[in-house]
Amino acid sequence: MALYTNFQLNNVMKILATVQNKGGVGKTTICRLLCEYLCRKNKRVLGIDLDSQCNFSRRFLTMEIDNTDLDGVLPPIHPDFDEKEDSNWDGRSSSADIFYSGQAMPYPTRIKGLEIMPGNGTLLRAVELVRADDVKEKVHDRLHAFLCNEDVQSLYDVVIIDTSPSKGPLTISAMRAATHIIIPTTMEPQTIEGLHGMLQLWRRETKRRRRGEELKIIGILPNMFRKGVALHDGLYHTLANDPGIVDLLMPNKLGLRIAFAESDHPMSEPKSVFDLAEKDPARIEAEIVCEHILEKIFS
Ligand SMILES: Nc1ncnc2c1ncn2[C@@H]1O[C@H](COP(=O)(O)OP(=O)(O)OP(=O)(O)O)[C@@H](O)[C@H]1O
Ligand SMILES: [Mg+2]
């Protein structure tokens, strides 16, 4: 895929990032569900993994372990790689390349319509360590510039970006590139604290944009919710009574359901919650949430 050429989005391709600096709240899960759902609705989807843990990549590709780095995860060799013809390429491509060279090759997946730009653990961690003086040019603005590429905009209807549990440079680059964000949240005190930090970041980002190009928030998505649990009901009630938050709460929730975790397993059958029985509560909840997001993005 070619180097970026201009810095305009065409207003047709939508770019959705899931962000929340607390870990384990469902960022990757909602990205994965959306990829599956949007492809079933005939959208052409590009998933971008900006998290060095590479959980999102692993849902769709067989990632490899990098033996040179304790936490290293590598994308597989790209199916289009030809050793004889591509002598200047090691055959792997990752989202980190966007920040190093502005070029990256998405991978096809088993799902029709879905391509994935996987992470590379070591390289993404290095991107986060860019010096403060260089961070704007080398990280914050890079993903936006890449997605402004005319080729990218002609190939996809929606880009889904998964981020790490942080407010670091890569999360900022995702927010700068995004047209929409979602903030998944579990009903726990520390996660709610993280939520306020993300809302500040969203307000800051949307203020610096031109009129008409504001960063839209689809909403705060309560995840792993258990009705009848005093902590969950109580914290939800607090959010619903906070005038600064209530309008941002999504109308639906995802409950704590083993089916969502099970579908992460490589041997799981069916592979997607959308292939569970039509009346399965996990499938119904996921469809309601994803349909709401689809309508919001394209409204
Ligand atoms: N609604 C749910 N019910 C049950 N399990 C869930 C639900 N949502 C997510 N999970 C499980 O919880 C774990 C954390 O979810 P996930 O990886 O999506 O969070 P994350 O915010 O991406 O985490 P990180 O910040 O580490 O990237 C995963 O094992 C996932 O399968
Ligand atoms: Mg994750």
Side-chain angles (χ1 to χ4, degrees):
M1 195 159 279
L3 276 164
Y4 46 84
T5 49
N6 68 57
F7 298 95
Q8 286 293 309
L9 284 175
N10 61 9
N11 281 329
V12 177
M13 187 177 79
K14 308 297 179 189
I15 304 167
L16 173 68
T18 58
V19 293
Q20 162 63 284
N21 58 314
K22 283 306 286 181
V25 296
K27 295 180 289 296
T28 305
T29 301
I30 190 68
C31 283
R32 182 246 174 98
L33 289 173
L34 278 170
C35 285
E36 293 172 353
Y37 188 78
L38 293 171
C39 288
R40 280 160 197 250
K41 297 285 165 181
N42 295 321
K43 299 291 180 199
R44 299 164 304 161
V45 181
L46 172 65
I48 300 183
D49 192 351
L50 289 189
D51 183 359
S52 59
Q53 301 177 94
C54 303
N55 298 130
F56 185 36
S57 316
R58 290 183 222 229
R59 302 286 74 79
F60 300 106
L61 298 174
T62 307
M63 300 291 280
E64 293 178 18
I65 301 300
D66 178 359
N67 288 322
T68 64
D69 179 347
L70 270 182
D71 299 313
V73 189
L74 287 172
I77 297 294
H78 198 285
D80 290 349
F81 177 61
D82 182 331
E83 217 170 325
K84 291 188 198 104
E85 281 188 14
D86 302 313
S87 53
N88 293 326
W89 181 30
D90 69 357
R92 300 179 200 270
S93 187
S94 80
S95 60
D97 298 341
I98 295 169
F99 302 91
Y100 288 99
S101 66
Q103 289 179 293
M105 282 274 278
Y107 287 65
T109 67
R110 63 186 147 76
I111 296 177
K112 189 168 164 273
L114 175 64
E115 295 196 325
I116 290 285
M117 198 87 87
N120 175 319
T122 313
L123 295 182
L124 281 174
R125 280 201 308 278
V127 173
E128 294 270 17
L129 297 176
V130 165
R131 283 174 4 153
D133 293 352
D134 292 336
V135 77
K136 184 177 177 313
E137 192 204 329
K138 292 195 173 158
V139 186
H140 290 174
D141 295 340
R142 276 290 172 114
L143 183 60
H144 171 66
F146 177 81
L147 293 175
C148 285
N149 179 306
E150 284 164 14
D151 287 346
V152 177
Q153 296 189 67
S154 66
L155 284 170
Y156 307 105
D157 302 307
V158 188
V159 178
I160 306 284
I161 308 171
D162 188 26
T163 61
S164 61
S166 106
K167 286 192 272 184
L170 284 169
T171 300
I172 292 176
S173 85
M175 288 183 99
R176 197 139 295 176
T179 55
H180 297 77
I181 57 164
I182 292 182
I183 310 180
T185 298
T186 51
M187 291 299 132
E188 281 146 18
Q190 290 189 18
T191 317
I192 305 292
E193 288 161 22
L195 169 67
H196 287 287
M198 289 322 296
L199 288 173
Q200 270 173 0
L201 210 56
W202 163 59
R203 291 199 178 95
R204 202 176 72 187
E205 174 57 29
T206 206
K207 240 187 226 162
R208 59 179 294 289
R209 300 221 184 163
R210 282 189 298 223
R211 194 178 257 240
E213 293 176 4
E214 291 87 358
L215 174 59
K216 299 194 181 75
I217 182 164
I218 304 264
I220 298 163
L221 174 64
N223 187 22
M224 301 189 219
F225 191 85
R226 286 177 69 196
K227 202 165 182 298
V229 169
L231 180 67
H232 291 195
D233 287 337
L235 283 174
Y236 185 81
H237 185 73
T238 309
L239 292 179
N241 283 291
D242 181 335
I245 299 255
V246 61
D247 292 338
L248 303 176
L249 269 182
M250 282 174 64
N252 306 100
K253 313 177 185 78
L254 289 179
L256 181 74
R257 298 190 184 281
I258 195 67
F260 291 118
E262 270 173 354
S263 62
D264 280 349
H265 196 281
M267 307 297 276
S268 73
E269 279 304 332
K271 298 235 169 296
S272 164
V273 295
F274 300 112
D275 287 326
L276 292 167
E278 261 176 43
K279 291 200 172 142
D280 188 286
R283 173 173 168 176
I284 293 173
E285 272 183 5
E287 282 176 345
I288 291 172
V289 165
C290 290
E291 185 58 31
H292 174 79
I293 295 168
L294 176 74
E295 277 171 19
K296 280 270 192 179
I297 299 179
F298 287 101
S299 65

